[in-house]
């Protein structure tokens, strides 16, 4: 990993729940020594990517990122095509809906919408999504570039007791996702959260990211699962259309099989 990459990777530790981070804490989070971290922060500060709060001396994201974010959205519009769909998805399911975008080998959070129906709900407060442990990440591995599987295998960190930590376990999950068309994280990233996702595509014809719904595990019932899957299909189609893409026929067929199978189980139960 180059020095530039290491410096820029420090930005991924900032989030809505942790907008300011002190030097010592950032060292612990990044797993680096203080001298190296400070040198990287100085370079980021010079470029305007971070700044120091004069009162606390903690670091926060800098103004240069706002300009880059606005330019990115103006030239590669993503949020505008996702936000209204997310709002409808959250309202229909009563759960937290969010969208991720794939760039290279990294899956980034784009935007999220929390439904007001429940006082206790999933909160999306991460910037990059682990490929092997989140519904969106697993969806990317299943339907994205082939090398993403190797990338995921290279970093099989255990977040909960249910996280897949072997290549065999990950391969089984990915195979199931390809069969159903839906990514699933059954308490694999957070012990209290179940998530489902569906892939979205853009004008290039390649996977552009995923749309997902995260639910508190205690209220994740078969009926809610069926509702979320049905609404995810609609959301994935709408976002894909807004981004200039089309859903591949194979995924449409997988969704149809999955939803039909679920309906058949409900009628016989």
């Amino acid at each position: 990993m180059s020095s530039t990459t290491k410096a820029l990777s420090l930005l991924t530790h900032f989030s809505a729940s942790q907008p300011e981070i002190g030097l010592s804490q950032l060292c612990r989070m990044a797993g680096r020594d203080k001298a190296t971290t400070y040198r990287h922060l100085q370079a980021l500060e010079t470029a305007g990517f971070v700044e120091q709060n004069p009162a606390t001396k903690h670091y926060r994201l800098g103004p240069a990122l706002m300009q880059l974010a606005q330019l990115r959205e103006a030239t590669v519009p993503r949020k505008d095509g996702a936000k209204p769909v997310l709002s409808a998805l959250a309202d229909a399911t009563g759960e937290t809906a969010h969208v991720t975008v794939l760039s290279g080998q990294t899956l980034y959070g784009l935007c999220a919408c929390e439904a007001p129906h429940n006082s206790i709900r999933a909160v999306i407060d991460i910037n990059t999504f682990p490929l092997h442990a989140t519904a969106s990440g697993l969806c990317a591995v299943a339907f994205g570039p082939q090398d993403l599987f190797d990338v995921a295998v290279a970093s099989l960190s255990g977040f909960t007791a249910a996280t897949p930590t072997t290549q065999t376990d990950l391969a089984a999950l990915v195979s199931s996702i390809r069969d159903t068309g839906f990514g699933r994280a059954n308490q694999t990233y957070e012990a209290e959260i179940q998530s489902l996702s569906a892939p979205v595509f853009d004008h290039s014809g390649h996977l552009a990211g995923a749309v997902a719904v995260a639910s508190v595990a205690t209220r994740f019932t078969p009926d809610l699962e069926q509702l979320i899957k049905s609404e995810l299909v609609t959301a994935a189609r709408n976002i894909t259309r807004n981004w200039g893409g089309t859903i591949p026929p194979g995924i449409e067929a997988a969704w149809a099989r999955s939803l039909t199978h679920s309906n058949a189980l409900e009628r016989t139960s």
Side-chain angles (χ1 to χ4, degrees):
M1 184 183 295
S2 69
S3 180
T4 301
T5 301
K6 290 180 180 178
L8 291 173
S9 68
L10 293 176
L11 300 175
T12 64
H13 294 289
F14 295 90
S15 66
S17 62
Q18 197 161 35
E20 294 190 3
I21 308 175
L23 175 59
S24 296
Q25 184 180 8
L26 194 54
C27 290
R28 292 192 295 270
M29 295 171 72
R32 300 175 197 169
D33 64 82
K34 184 170 289 188
T36 300
T37 304
Y38 181 66
R39 186 174 67 253
H40 289 160
L41 285 170
Q42 283 186 307
L44 293 172
E45 189 172 15
T46 300
F49 292 162
V50 299
E51 63 182 14
Q52 269 190 304
N53 183 329
T56 64
K57 301 302 181 184
H58 288 183
Y59 290 89
R60 60 194 180 195
L61 296 179
L65 292 176
M66 292 189 295
Q67 181 180 3
L68 291 175
Q70 291 169 356
L71 178 61
R72 161 73 183 188
E73 186 61 23
T75 56
V76 188
R78 288 290 184 262
K79 283 189 177 181
D80 285 349
K83 279 186 173 180
V85 179
L86 280 187
S87 179
L89 179 59
D91 187 62
T93 61
E95 304 294 342
T96 299
H98 61 100
V99 169
T100 51
V101 291
L102 181 67
S103 179
Q105 298 176 336
T106 304
L107 193 65
Y108 296 95
L110 178 68
C111 51
C113 181
E114 296 179 21
H117 300 60
N118 298 295
S119 58
I120 301 176
R121 49 188 180 266
V123 176
I124 308 302
D125 62 354
I126 57 175
N127 298 317
T128 58
F129 286 66
L131 295 175
H132 70 295
T134 61
S136 298
L138 289 164
C139 201
V141 173
F143 302 113
Q146 292 184 354
D147 63 347
L148 285 187
F149 183 84
D150 294 330
V151 174
V153 168
S155 183
L156 293 174
S157 303
F159 295 100
T160 72
T163 305
T165 54
T166 69
Q167 182 172 336
T168 300
D169 290 341
L170 181 61
L173 274 177
V174 170
S175 177
S176 174
I177 291 167
R178 287 173 177 158
D179 286 342
T180 64
F182 296 102
R184 175 189 290 272
N186 185 358
Q187 304 178 75
T188 52
Y189 182 65
E190 295 179 276
E192 303 83 11
I193 301 297
Q194 287 224 39
S195 299
L196 292 168
S197 66
V200 293
F201 298 80
D202 62 15
H203 65 282
S204 70
H206 299 297
L207 181 87
V211 56
V213 172
S215 171
V216 175
T218 53
R219 61 171 178 261
F220 191 82
T221 64
D223 286 342
L224 180 59
E225 177 180 350
Q226 178 70 5
L227 172 64
I228 290 174
K229 285 182 174 180
S230 178
E231 295 295 334
L232 276 175
V233 168
T234 300
R237 288 170 178 161
N238 288 339
I239 294 174
T240 293
R241 183 183 66 249
N242 292 345
W243 290 0
T246 56
I247 302 294
I251 293 177
E252 288 280 8
W255 286 342
R257 290 193 305 269
S258 182
L259 293 176
T260 300
H261 179 65
S262 297
N263 286 329
L265 289 178
E266 286 184 1
R267 286 196 298 270
T268 58
S269 61

